[in-house]
Amino acid sequence: GCGIEDLFEDFDVNPVGAASLAQVHIAKLKENGEPVAVKIQHHSIKSYAEVDMFVVSLAVRAVKYFFPEFEFDWLADEMKLKLPKELDFVQEAHNSERVLWNFMQNSSRYPEVIKSLKIPRVMWPQTTSRVLTMEYCPGAKVTDLNFMHANKIDPYRVSARLAQIFSEMIFIHGFVHCDPHPGNVFIRLKNEPKQWKFWSSGPNWELVVLDHGLYRELPSNFRLAYARLWKSVIEGDVEKIQNACKEIGAGDAYKLFSSVLTHRTWSSVSVRSISTQTTLDEIQLIKERAPGYLIQVADFLAKIPRPLLLLLKTNDLLRAIERVLTEPGDNRPVQSFFITTRYCADAIYLDGLRNPNASIASMTRLYCSRLVTLFKVNVFEFLIRLKI
């Protein structure tokens, strides 16, 4: 309802980025000249989205008619549920503020995470359902290895921090950013004055998480079941993996689900070797066998709980970034799995602390169980590094 000149001192009409729903322009606020990023929804995108949803629904019905063994109704259902929320930029603004609040609430437990995380601040007077105005946070894509090398940043540490950020969202907050592709996660040098110190207060870089339109809230029982599943997978305990898969709604397809979750073969999962780098032989084996499991995967995706669908998407995107950040010749262990285990142990422990009926004995057992898990993880990681 306003002209550009009413709100902004300067506005670059050429977008710095564009995607399917919106494009982003750089501007300066009229009130104080602060640089901002203005995300503007494409004209008439809501009407186009309705057509898209109709076409997708029609397509999945056609697939189901001609190929009854493939079940993709879940895809249309998820699109109908999530796309309208992504088109509401006020909802996106609230999501970004909520996730920042979540991290701040846990900053004492995970101080290293909050020190290297940046969520752009929302400018509310200049934000509506179709226009989102945020603090301008320029940076390079999280997969830009040239930027990291030029600024002496270790990609391995960046990969670890990204794993910590999303593990905290999934296992501690239960409020998860479900679209962490490289265009939505930037890395940049901290804009802080240099100070002489005898010790380091943390890395000189931070990760900027953008595009908060697509989130999934995890019910507590589901979040904890997912934590128990990951813990069992990383420990390679087949019996616990079976039980956890049933608890989370993945049925008896525990071998297939474990492979989908970790991007590793079942033989690697069952002997606890998923924390080592994937070999070329294993990659080739997965490529050869994957087409034969297409029907089983389609059936599996149709039956699992809806929160698990977006978690699998998030997991896949994070694994893809991790592979890019693993440079040739770097045989260090895949730390994301160790990080995930530590957060799973924390999630189970913290949930037990919230139980008002817990006895001192049960709390002691819970605390000792967490310590034992962390000790095992630390020893396992040390032995892998020693072997390397």
Side-chain angles (χ1 to χ4, degrees), residues 139-148 153 155 158-159 161-162 180-188 205-208 317-318 320-322 324-325:
K141 286 186 177 181
V142 72
T143 51
D144 190 338
L145 292 174
N146 291 331
F147 173 85
M148 296 182 203
I153 298 172
V158 175
S159 179
R161 187 66 78 238
L162 191 65
H181 63 75
N184 285 341
V185 184
F186 286 177
I187 183 169
R188 68 173 190 169
W205 49 265
E206 61 187 358
L207 294 175
V208 184
L317 290 169
L318 292 173
I321 292 175
E322 184 177 61
V324 174
L325 295 179

Side-chain angles (χ1 to χ4, degrees), residues 1-31:
C2 299
I4 287 177
E5 65 281 357
D6 297 327
L7 298 174
F8 303 103
E9 176 186 305
D10 183 45
F11 192 99
D12 188 350
V13 295
N14 298 306
V16 294
S20 56
L21 302 183
Q23 60 192 44
V24 178
H25 297 260
I26 305 304
K28 290 183 179 180
L29 294 180
K30 190 171 184 178
E31 57 196 48

Side-chain angles (χ1 to χ4, degrees), residues 83-103:
L83 190 54
K85 293 182 180 180
E86 286 194 82
L87 291 171
D88 182 1
F89 289 171
V90 171
Q91 178 66 45
E92 179 175 342
H94 286 311
N95 287 345
S96 70
E97 292 186 332
R98 179 178 173 184
V99 75
L100 178 59
W101 186 86
N102 286 342
F103 278 104

Side-chain angles (χ1 to χ4, degrees), residues 278-293:
T278 312
T279 64
L280 293 176
D281 289 341
E282 186 176 2
I283 293 173
Q284 185 60 35
L285 186 62
I286 291 172
K287 287 181 178 179
E288 291 174 357
R289 291 183 176 179
Y293 288 96

